[in-house]
Amino acid sequence: MTLTESRDVSARLAALLAERIEDVIDLWEELGEAGPTFGSPVAGRAEERRERYLRPLARVLVGALSGSADHAAIYLDERRRYASAELDASGCAAEFGRRLPGELGRLAGLVADRLPVDLALEPLEQLHRGLTEHRDPSARVLFIGDCLFVETRALLVAREPATPVDVRHIFFSTRQQLAEVNSAIVNEVVAYRPDVVGLSLFTFEGVPPFTAAWRAAAAPWGAPGATRSVAGLVELVRETIENIRSVSDATIVVHAPGGVPVGRWRRRLGALPEHSWGQRRLLRALRAGVRDVVAHTTNTILLDEGPVVAAAGGARRIGGPLFDPADVPAGYFHTTRLGARIAEEYAGVLDDHRLLARAKVLLVDLDNTLWAGVMGEGAVVHDRELQRLLLRLKQAGVLLVALSKNDPQTIRWDELELAPEDFVLHQINWVPKPDNVSQAVAALDLAASAFVLLDDNPVERALVTEQVPGVRAMDPAAPVTRRALERWFELPSTTQTAEARRRTEMYREAAERRSALSQTHDYATMMRSLRLRYDVRPAGPQDRDRVLELVQRTNQFNTTTQRRSAAEVDDLLADERYGVHVATLGDRFGDLGVVALAVFARERRELDAVIMSCRAMGFGLEIALVSRVLAAEGPGPVTATFVPTERNAPAADLFARAGFREVGAHRWELSVDADRPVVPEWFGRPSGVGGR
């Protein structure tokens, strides 16, 4: 069956089921536990269940079969309403896979007099694959808010079919105590470990203090008191962010209110303003307060609902139902237009997160990217805003690589906001760009997935992404590109540490180092030629940000890959039961600063973690670090654990090389009488290298 024929059959099935809505509802009621309600008493009494859940559900089923993506999204989400909360995503898919064949066969049987059952089954099975098929998600999102996020979740998941998203929702209402919600937030963030958190405290019902202030602001005499509550409401946003930050460093999308919903009378009387004077004043103050919190909090993104509401025609319109009530009557679910627009905003955030959250290098084309025109042919018009943005990214730790088919002598650097030294590598030549990118990947010793290409030429973008798998590409002319680059500052792959600001210099030195090593062949001689120097010392307060960065970013040389939040790192550094040791490294090319750390659990005498930046791999520093840590922590047996992952193979033989004996699955032991590891001969005496 062709795609057109399939759509025709689906539309015909939709029309037939629309004529037999009562039969569909009767069938679902008859199925009981095997039907949409799973037999749950929460679905309500028979009449309520029928009119407020099953009838709207049948109508969105018809809309979905008619080809409406929004109807399909809400239908699939509502089918999960009564599924067991104890099932994870794969378990839920398996349960639907067991239940649905019988139901779909009977639905097809309802129209068997007008449409063969095998033809009717095809569109039904196609639609319900959204319930029976499970794929690993590309991102995990945790929503914290009221019913706005119910519809946002449904529509967001439907907008991401090629890149599945797993979404959880902490729902609160005006009837809940804030202490209960805050406790639930912390527990869920710890258990779920989301990539992105959405936080909306002032939409629809909102938190109780906001709801009270909003109602008070509607009355002329209540406006002053409502405005006085702004400081407390803004502080509530700040406290909630701090609660999340205490256990997670996920990017947080913070909503500023847009004034939805409009009060009942103002919604009906179009001649009245959408909001009272007091409510408008409250909204302005709250937006300003939330903007200030986001501006002074790292790794947060502002989602101002005000412009979203205005662009959609105002709060009356966007707060109204997404579906015509004559099509889908109001029931347990009452999807608004706002949810659809907010889902689009989050789809953009997730696109940027997938593209840049783990990126470390931006490959930058020059002609018609950093400026309009070809510099080798004469005058050009510089995109100074983009150049300044790239400079800020470089200062936040992003590595820039100049990648251009050009004569390097024609580049007039004195015209740019960027200097030659702002680029870790210059790949400016006539070599095919895929070859230049492969050379950059090798020179910087990073995975191809850490590279993103910024190039105006669609052919070059296609060649690079096809020939160097893992590299992604961006079109500098696309509006979403500038948005993504601005958001990069709020994603995990950028930081504001001293090491981040020096990252370009350090990676350039590393590339020179690899070039120097390629000139000799004897390993010890190669190492001695670098004039390596190192130091190992207890971590101090000045090392906190770098320790956090190593713990959160290092994947390859990491014996456990256990991620610790900022709060957990603070506790670790303050806990005398643990020794946290940092190692610095330098050579004849320059200082790399703090590049490794080891955590020693003193009470159980265990190397809890050994972590080293990839730029320090290959010099034997890990053995020097373990040797110095064992000496500092005193005599006695020592144990260690190596937890293998897909990416930490470089650390797999560390303990064997350090003289430990494997005593169980991934468990290692260095007995009291065993030889201790020896610092490699090519290291000079320890010295204060790269101290901060």
Side-chain angles (χ1 to χ4, degrees):
M1 186 183 299
T2 67
L3 179 61
T4 300
E5 290 171 336
S6 178
R7 287 173 176 167
D8 289 344
V9 170
S10 186
R12 186 178 173 194
L13 174 61
L16 292 173
L17 289 178
E19 296 172 1
R20 305 177 188 195
I21 287 292
E22 297 302 326
D23 293 338
V24 173
I25 298 171
D26 289 342
L27 170 60
W28 281 341
E29 284 278 42
E30 182 184 337
L31 287 171
E33 291 185 3
T37 66
F38 284 70
S40 171
V42 179
R45 295 187 300 273
E47 187 60 27
E48 181 183 21
R49 178 175 65 239
R50 184 181 184 93
E51 295 304 317
R52 293 186 57 77
Y53 179 61
L54 295 179
R55 186 175 301 281
L57 187 69
R59 292 302 312 175
V60 288
L61 169 61
V62 168
L65 292 170
S66 298
S68 166
D70 287 340
H71 283 74
I74 299 303
Y75 173 75
L76 294 174
D77 189 69
E78 284 299 322
R79 284 303 304 256
R80 299 183 182 94
R81 176 185 284 263
Y82 297 110
S84 173
E86 297 178 359
L87 294 174
D88 61 13
S90 61
C92 190
E95 180 65 15
F96 275 112
R98 183 180 67 82
R99 288 169 168 267
L100 281 174
E103 176 190 334
L104 300 187
R106 294 190 63 180
L107 279 172
L110 292 178
V111 298
D113 59 327
R114 305 273 295 278
L115 187 66
V117 169
D118 58 337
L119 284 180
L121 269 175
E122 185 168 328
L124 285 170
E125 290 173 346
Q126 177 67 31
L127 171 64
H128 288 82
R129 285 193 186 110
L131 296 174
T132 60
E133 293 181 352
H134 170 70
R135 290 179 293 164
D136 290 335
S138 64
R140 289 177 293 185
V141 181
L142 177 63
F143 284 142
I144 302 168
D146 70 350
C147 53
L148 167 68
F149 280 144
V150 175
E151 53 204 51
T152 301
R153 176 194 65 214
L155 295 163
L156 175 63
V157 169
R159 279 164 167 73
E160 303 282 309
T163 49
V165 180
D166 188 67
V167 180
R168 292 191 188 178
H169 179 197
I170 296 178
F171 183 90
F172 61 74
S173 73
T174 55
R175 295 177 293 278
Q176 289 175 282
Q177 296 297 314
L178 291 179
E180 297 174 2
V181 176
N182 282 329
S183 176
I185 289 171
V186 171
N187 292 338
E188 185 68 11
V189 170
V190 169
Y192 185 45
R193 304 185 74 84
D195 299 299
V196 174
V197 176
L199 179 64
S200 178
L201 303 184
F202 309 134
T203 308
F204 288 111
E205 283 192 313
V207 292
F210 169 71
T211 305
W214 187 247
R215 284 198 301 264
W221 57 85
T227 305
R228 284 195 295 272
S229 68
V230 167
L233 291 170
V234 171
E235 185 59 28
L236 179 60
V237 174
R238 194 189 316 275
E239 289 176 0
T240 306
I241 292 173
E242 289 176 355
N243 283 335
I244 297 169
R245 277 285 169 266
S246 70
V247 293
S248 171
D249 294 289
T251 296
I252 304 174
V253 180
V254 184
H255 290 231
V260 177
V262 175
R264 181 176 57 183
W265 292 110
R266 291 180 182 273
R267 185 169 64 248
R268 294 177 178 176
L269 300 176
L272 289 177
E274 291 181 328
H275 306 114
S276 71
W277 173 82
Q279 287 175 327
R280 293 195 298 273
R281 185 178 175 187
L282 177 62
L283 282 176
R284 285 194 299 270
L286 268 179
R287 283 181 191 148
V290 172
R291 278 197 299 269
D292 184 68
V293 169
V294 171
H296 292 88
T297 308
T298 59
N299 222 7
T300 55
I301 295 172
L302 176 69
L303 200 169
D304 191 342
E305 294 175 7
V308 174
V309 169
R316 279 193 188 92
R317 175 171 173 75
I318 202 170
L322 179 64
F323 305 125
D324 186 337
D327 172 26
V328 180
Y332 290 164
F333 55 95
H334 40 273
T335 312
T336 68
R337 295 186 183 93
L338 178 59
R341 283 291 295 112
I342 295 299
E344 292 174 7
E345 295 290 326
Y346 274 94
V349 170
L350 289 175
D351 284 343
D352 298 341
H353 191 277
R354 292 189 196 95
L355 180 67
L356 298 172
R358 293 173 178 81
K360 297 180 179 180
V361 185
L362 187 63
L363 302 157
V364 185
D365 177 47
L366 301 181
D367 288 333
N368 291 309
T369 295
L370 288 186
W371 53 77
V374 178
M375 191 169 279
E377 297 177 357
V380 297
V381 178
H382 287 278
D383 188 340
R384 300 203 176 276
E385 182 181 349
L386 176 59
Q387 292 175 22
R388 293 186 189 112
L389 175 56
L390 298 191
L391 182 59
R392 288 168 50 216
L393 285 169
K394 179 254 182 182
Q395 292 166 347
V398 175
L399 301 175
L400 304 180
V401 173
L403 183 74
S404 177
K405 284 185 176 178
N406 230 317
D407 180 349
Q409 301 303 316
T410 66
I411 307 302
R412 300 187 294 275
W413 291 103
D414 58 326
E415 295 181 9
L416 277 68
E417 301 289 329
L418 292 154
E421 56 269 22
D422 290 323
F423 294 84
V424 65
L425 293 174
H426 288 209
Q427 301 291 96
I428 305 173
N429 49 46
W430 300 106
V431 174
K433 283 194 177 179
D435 292 348
N436 269 330
V437 172
S438 295
Q439 291 171 17
V441 170
L444 297 178
D445 197 23
L446 292 169
S449 58
F451 290 73
V452 176
L453 171 65
L454 184 66
D455 196 312
D456 69 292
N457 190 328
V459 175
E460 297 287 11
R461 294 198 300 269
L463 283 173
V464 168
T465 54
E466 291 167 6
Q467 298 298 316
V468 192
V471 177
R472 287 146 295 166
M474 308 170 76
D475 179 1
V480 295
T481 294
R482 202 65 59 99
R483 178 202 70 192
L485 292 175
E486 288 284 0
R487 279 185 179 159
W488 202 347
F489 295 100
E490 307 306 335
L491 299 176
S493 52
T494 57
T495 56
Q496 302 298 325
T497 64
E499 269 75 11
R501 288 187 286 275
R502 283 200 65 239
R503 192 164 290 140
T504 293
E505 181 182 347
M506 290 187 287
Y507 270 88
R508 185 187 300 112
E509 292 166 356
E512 294 172 358
R513 190 173 295 116
R514 275 184 281 276
S515 176
L517 290 177
S518 68
Q519 305 304 312
T520 59
H521 302 283
D522 177 73
Y523 189 75
T525 301
M526 284 194 292
M527 293 297 106
R528 283 192 291 270
S529 74
L530 293 173
R531 298 198 293 274
L532 292 163
R533 56 193 186 279
Y534 81 107
D535 194 18
V536 176
R537 55 177 171 77
Q542 74 277 14
D543 300 304
R544 182 264 191 191
D545 289 346
R546 179 55 176 159
V547 168
L548 178 63
E549 189 175 26
L550 284 168
V551 167
Q552 293 184 340
R553 290 171 57 98
T554 306
N555 295 302
Q556 296 184 68
F557 204 101
N558 190 328
T559 55
T560 65
T561 65
Q562 177 187 357
R563 304 304 188 204
R564 287 180 162 103
S565 68
E568 289 172 325
V569 167
D570 290 338
D571 291 342
L572 190 68
L573 292 171
D575 194 338
E576 292 185 357
R577 295 173 301 171
Y578 291 87
V580 182
H581 304 260
V582 295
T584 58
L585 183 65
D587 59 21
R588 64 187 174 92
F589 295 100
D591 290 344
L592 279 74
V594 174
V595 292
L597 68 91
V599 179
F600 189 89
R602 289 169 173 152
E603 291 182 350
R604 60 179 188 272
R605 291 196 59 78
E606 180 180 11
L607 271 170
D608 181 88
V610 180
I611 303 171
M612 186 168 67
S613 168
C614 58
R615 67 175 181 262
M617 288 165 54
F619 304 110
L621 179 65
E622 65 276 15
I623 298 298
L625 171 61
V626 172
S627 174
R628 291 284 302 281
V629 169
L630 296 184
E633 296 295 344
V638 179
T639 61
T641 301
F642 174 76
V643 181
T645 70
E646 292 181 354
R647 302 182 64 182
N648 70 347
D653 65 346
L654 167 64
F655 298 120
R657 289 188 291 117
F660 285 62
R661 179 173 58 91
E662 191 169 16
V663 294
H666 313 306
R667 291 288 298 169
W668 296 82
E669 182 181 85
L670 187 69
S671 63
V672 67
D673 56 351
D675 292 336
R676 267 26 187 180
V678 177
V679 176
E681 59 166 314
W682 47 81
F683 281 107
R685 288 185 301 172
S687 60
V689 177
R692 296 172 51 195

